[in-house]
Amino acid sequence: MHVRTLGQGLEVSAVGLGAMGMSQSYGPNPGPRADMITVLRSALEHGVNFFDTAEVYGPYVNEELVGEALAPIRGQVVIATKFGWDIQGGKSVGLNSRPEQIRKVANESLARLGTDVIDLFYQHRVDPNVPIEEVAGTVGELITAGKVRHFGLSEASASTIRRAHAVQPVTALQSEYSLWTRDPEAEVLPTLAELGIGFVPFSPLGKGFLTGTVTPATTFDDGDIRNRVPRFEQDNLAANQALVHHVGALAEAKGFTSGQVALAWLLAQQPWIVPIPGTRRTARIQENAGVAGVGLSADELADLNTVASRIGVHGERYNETNLKMVNG
């Protein structure tokens, strides 16, 4: 797999791996912990060296899983994790990006990951009660101390990105982006281009929707976050099928999967975009890694954009509670 460069010269594989689903959000895990460790380690064999986790996933257990899995290959991989939540009694009860909390989380994440430095440390959600300049300055201190290499933001607005970047250069922004979610295009992507900041889209396959494996008849296990996402409500899901059918037709014509076409569309948007699809299966990692060979023509890209714009999307990407945490 070829390499892409985020901000501040951070080089990573063109497609990364989001590890969240190995510990939460998509129903029961498919097998024992040892199987997830095998899947994580197999990613490097397919050229994937960029791994994404967070303290809140679990909470805590996902960082421990990623740390154990990657320990034998630590020098060959880039690990990103996140801070910003107030976790009490094993549950997130709100946001907390106070400087003392950031320093505490950094030390605890280092221990769980079994490493002496965090490659990329994101603020997971913008905390309205803490000026972003304080957040950026605190992470800057951690960088100076050698505990963190790069600073990132997640679901931040263009103005917040600018304010943070003026204090401590931002390496990457992580937000949802796909053919199904185009919100960053109006203001955020131009800001990133201007400032030289990389973009790391999560849910690049629309939480599985763009793979063509989710239909109006699909039911989700208890604990699957899609049960709480308006776009996956039955009426909306039926209305949204038109887009995935179009992606599937193009994929079939080219001899690739729908997921590969959706990822290839993302990679074609900018050379500093690095999606992090999540999976629990080595076969999916291999499929996602193979996107470098897809190659979409200018006409195919234009067609996908036209169809996505014409069809639109039915339903919000978050429920009301989670939408309030997006920094508009």
Side-chain angles (χ1 to χ4, degrees):
M1 185 186 298
H2 61 282
V3 169
R4 290 193 161 200
T5 304
L6 300 173
Q8 312 309 309
L10 179 59
E11 293 188 345
V12 296
S13 53
V15 175
L17 174 59
M20 179 186 74
M22 294 180 175
S23 299
Q24 66 166 65
S25 297
Y26 290 95
N29 285 339
R33 177 186 179 90
D35 289 355
M36 296 300 96
I37 290 174
T38 298
V39 171
L40 283 161
R41 290 178 181 168
S42 74
L44 189 61
E45 299 171 10
H46 298 292
V48 176
N49 76 345
F50 184 34
F51 297 83
D52 184 89
T53 182
E55 61 154 354
V56 78
Y57 299 160
Y60 310 130
V61 295
N62 195 251
E63 283 185 323
E64 294 168 352
L65 173 68
V66 169
E68 180 180 350
L70 302 183
I73 52 175
R74 178 65 183 98
Q76 304 174 67
V77 300
V78 175
I79 300 176
T81 192
K82 311 178 194 75
F83 65 88
W85 298 99
D86 181 9
I87 299 173
Q88 303 289 340
K91 293 183 179 180
S92 170
V93 296
L95 299 173
N96 185 350
S97 281
R98 295 192 304 272
E100 61 271 22
Q101 176 72 2
I102 297 172
R103 290 189 284 267
K104 176 177 179 287
V105 172
N107 289 329
E108 293 175 350
S109 291
L110 286 167
R112 285 189 290 266
L113 290 166
T115 187
D116 58 1
V117 63
I118 296 167
D119 296 309
L120 177 54
F121 203 31
Y122 293 102
Q123 184 189 40
H124 209 155
R125 291 292 184 273
V126 175
D127 187 341
N129 297 315
V130 182
I132 195 64
E133 291 83 359
E134 287 188 24
V135 174
T138 303
V139 176
E141 292 170 2
L142 292 170
I143 292 172
T144 300
K147 294 183 178 183
V148 171
R149 289 198 174 105
H150 295 273
F151 173 40
L153 297 170
S154 180
E155 295 279 30
S157 68
S159 61
T160 298
I161 295 165
R162 288 184 183 280
R163 289 169 54 201
H165 191 72
V167 175
Q168 171 60 46
V170 177
T171 291
L173 173 78
Q174 182 177 131
S175 292
E176 186 170 358
Y177 184 44
S178 69
L179 269 169
W180 209 25
T181 301
R182 308 289 287 272
D183 308 52
E185 292 179 344
E187 296 183 357
V188 168
L189 288 183
T191 300
L192 300 181
E194 176 190 338
L195 300 178
I197 299 171
F199 188 41
V200 179
F202 67 79
S203 296
L205 298 175
K207 296 181 173 62
F209 177 77
L210 292 172
T211 65
T213 59
V214 178
T215 72
T218 300
T219 58
F220 302 108
D221 293 329
D222 291 342
D224 192 310
I225 57 172
R226 289 171 290 190
N227 286 316
R228 304 190 303 275
V229 175
R231 287 185 183 178
F232 286 89
E233 293 173 359
Q234 191 170 35
D235 290 346
N236 288 335
L237 196 57
N240 286 324
Q241 289 297 312
L243 175 60
V244 79
H245 289 162
H246 191 83
V247 173
L250 176 59
E252 184 176 3
K254 295 180 70 68
F256 293 102
T257 67
S258 294
Q260 286 176 320
V261 166
L263 289 176
W265 176 87
L266 263 178
L267 292 176
Q269 301 309 300
Q270 294 290 347
W272 33 264
I273 288 179
V274 178
I276 49 167
T279 186
R280 299 168 176 175
R281 296 171 178 82
T282 296
R284 289 296 188 194
I285 291 175
Q286 184 176 7
E287 177 185 327
N288 295 338
V291 69
V294 174
L296 297 175
S297 70
D299 286 345
E300 288 167 338
L301 289 168
D303 175 62
L304 286 171
N305 286 328
T306 298
V307 170
S309 297
R310 185 179 72 243
I311 293 172
V313 180
H314 296 258
E316 296 284 359
R317 65 187 180 99
Y318 283 138
N319 60 24
E320 185 176 354
T321 299
N322 289 328
L323 272 176
K324 290 179 180 178
M325 292 188 178
V326 175
N327 179 227

